[in-house]
Amino acid sequence: MKKHFKIAVLPGDGIGPEIIDAALKVLDVISKKYGITFEFEKALVGGAAIDAVGDPLPEETLKLCKESDAVLFGAVGGEKWDNLPTDKRPEKGLLRIRKELNLFANIRPAKAYDALLDASPLKQEIIKGVNLVVLRELTGDVYFGEPRGIEERNNERVGYNTMIYYEHEIKRIARLAFEIARGRRNKVTSVDKANVLEVSALWREVVNEVHNDYADVELEHMYVDNCAMQLIRRPRDFDVIVTGNIFGDIISDEAGALTGSLGMLPSASIGERYAFYEPIHGSAPDIAGKGIANPIATILSAAMMLELTCKLPEAARDIENAVEKVLEEGYRTADIWSVGTKRVNTQEMTEAIIKHL
Ligand code: NAD
């Protein structure tokens, strides 16, 4: 089994460097405990790269990412770069990396921690016990389909896009969904709009075909409008939700909002060859440099890396349990603090987590 991993570390802007530091400290402890080694190499991305070399994704950074086993990413963006032309902005660096690495699947877990039930916009009895994953296809669908455009027809403007999925794109994401479900509660909900859209009818057909190889996993199909509703009525019933790009864009944000705490949500984007791990929140310029950012989303992203890239699910569970314990002990960064809990900064939260590893 592979024991040495080269990781491209891209802290980015705002709180990026602070939360990435926290994740690296946790990974150091994990590497000793589980007998693996990491070679962390840092590179510039986003606004930091624009300031240094005038490009949000310098060639060297991209090269490093392609030579590495995984990329650990902080966040990019900030007011300073908001007035640059779109293709020169920090966010463009992130979009380009995703494209260059051919990341076809985005994985976003949403878990309700007992200690943080108050933070959810839902009633406690509905949110308690929620533990689901949204798997969103990233490279196809109406976002990339051709033809697309705005033009004039019959003396008025018309805008149009093409919703399209190739069979092989549906197959590979469906397979991943069933594989992920096997490591969880063995249930996949495939979300589409097959009552109206041909592309969804094909989606459903192909998911059913792939399911033949995964008979041990329960499969249900759900229309996206119904899914949006069931996610707030009975979110506990979902395990793995798999869906296309545009439905996934919306459903993954909805699922993330269930737990109510942006600083807690990790993510992974996976391709045939590359993997990319990042918290879902942005660079939080309002609190950057103060040392008070919540590092948990990034630490949990590192846990996803241990599971998916390093094939060490036990190390991932170790980190997740440590996070759960510090929350139970009452440790809170400012963003999740409530009366009666212990307010800590980024470093104190990180140390508290490490104590449990
Ligand atoms: P944001 O996620 O950065 O912040 C939203 C709010 O949540 C802020 O009040 C922030 O302080 C808080 N917050 C976010 N993460 C936190 C954490 N770990 N700990 C404590 N509080 C946290 O979103 P925004 O304010 O809309 O965007 C700020 C910048 O980030 C913009 O330039 C935006 O383009 C960029 N952005 C980048 C990414 C990315 O790099 N993946 C994603 C979203 C936004």
Side-chain angles (χ1 to χ4, degrees):
M1 225 177 80
K2 194 168 151 85
K3 296 230 166 221
H4 179 76
F5 299 90
K6 180 167 173 172
I7 311 295
V9 179
L10 277 44
D13 310 316
I15 59 170
E18 303 163 40
I19 52 179
I20 284 286
D21 257 8
L24 294 183
K25 281 188 190 136
V26 170
L27 286 172
D28 266 346
V29 175
I30 288 286
S31 92
K32 292 186 188 98
K33 182 164 172 182
Y34 289 87
I36 55 172
T37 51
F38 291 112
E39 179 185 343
F40 296 121
E41 197 169 323
K42 284 193 181 168
L44 291 168
V45 72
I50 295 173
D51 287 351
V53 297
D55 180 355
L57 180 62
E59 262 321 299
E60 290 149 62
T61 300
L62 186 57
K63 183 165 172 283
L64 172 70
C65 293
K66 290 187 170 175
E67 288 167 357
S68 302
D69 294 298
V71 181
L72 189 59
F73 187 94
V76 293
E79 222 170 78
K80 182 176 175 193
W81 306 282
D82 277 352
N83 295 322
L84 293 173
T86 325
D87 64 322
K88 294 262 172 348
R89 289 178 51 163
E91 292 79 1
K92 197 73 188 173
L94 180 56
L95 294 176
R96 264 182 55 212
I97 296 190
R98 288 188 182 141
K99 187 164 189 295
E100 291 275 350
L101 300 185
N102 202 9
L103 307 168
F104 71 84
N106 180 251
I107 308 172
R108 273 205 204 177
K111 180 177 156 139
Y113 292 93
D114 280 351
L116 291 183
L117 293 182
D118 278 349
S120 172
L122 298 184
K123 290 188 193 118
Q124 295 215 2
E125 65 264 30
I126 291 184
I127 192 68
K128 191 174 166 54
V130 165
N131 186 352
L132 60 87
V133 167
V134 179
L135 181 59
R136 164 187 172 194
E137 205 288 333
L138 278 184
T139 59
D141 211 342
V142 69
Y143 290 174
F144 298 99
E146 298 281 350
R148 60 192 298 156
I150 301 176
E151 60 190 40
E152 196 145 321
R153 290 183 202 167
N154 305 329
N155 293 323
E156 63 172 337
R157 285 169 301 168
V158 54
Y160 56 94
N161 291 86
T162 303
M163 194 175 219
I164 179 166
Y165 263 114
Y166 282 86
E167 190 179 348
H168 75 270
E169 294 173 320
I170 307 169
K171 267 188 186 154
R172 68 181 175 185
I173 192 97
R175 255 186 237 116
L176 187 59
F178 291 120
E179 296 287 341
I180 292 174
R182 274 183 174 165
R184 297 173 49 91
R185 300 197 309 279
N186 257 314
K187 180 174 174 190
V188 169
T189 306
S190 173
V191 171
D192 61 35
K193 189 72 185 168
N195 46 347
V196 183
L197 301 170
E198 283 79 3
V199 56
S200 280
L202 178 71
W203 176 282
R204 202 172 265 221
E205 209 174 300
V206 174
V207 171
N208 279 334
E209 287 161 17
V210 175
H211 185 226
N212 289 333
D213 295 336
Y214 297 89
D216 53 310
V217 181
E218 182 191 344
L219 169 65
E220 68 174 355
H221 297 280
M222 197 178 277
Y223 298 136
V224 62
D225 43 343
N226 187 26
C227 178
M229 196 161 61
Q230 300 310 332
L231 261 176
I232 50 172
R233 293 178 72 171
R234 48 176 187 93
R236 240 190 330 262
D237 290 352
F238 292 96
D239 182 15
V240 177
I241 295 175
V242 62
T243 188
N245 206 344
I246 188 166
F247 299 153
D249 195 353
I250 299 161
I251 291 292
S252 61
D253 266 14
E254 187 188 351
L258 293 177
T259 61
S261 32
L262 204 50
M264 300 287 302
L265 296 167
S267 83
S269 298
I270 304 287
E272 312 275 3
R273 159 84 185 77
Y274 300 109
F276 187 92
Y277 300 90
E278 61 172 331
I280 74 151
H281 60 71
S283 56
D286 51 335
I287 56 163
K290 295 185 179 162
I292 58 169
N294 186 347
I296 293 179
T298 314
I299 290 171
L300 291 174
S301 301
M304 292 184 82
M305 179 180 93
L306 290 166
E307 175 153 22
L308 298 169
T309 293
C310 309
K311 309 289 179 219
L312 275 176
E314 61 277 28
R317 295 297 92 76
D318 205 354
I319 293 178
E320 289 162 8
N321 291 337
V323 166
E324 193 135 21
K325 282 191 192 127
V326 298
L327 292 174
E328 275 160 18
E329 287 166 357
Y331 292 97
R332 301 282 190 277
T333 43
D335 57 314
I336 50 174
W337 180 83
S338 58
V339 177
T341 60
K342 292 175 221 157
R343 195 180 191 123
V344 292
N345 62 26
T346 310
Q347 195 182 336
E348 289 159 341
M349 178 58 95
T350 309
E351 282 163 7
I353 291 170
I354 286 174
K355 251 192 213 146
H356 285 289
L357 291 174

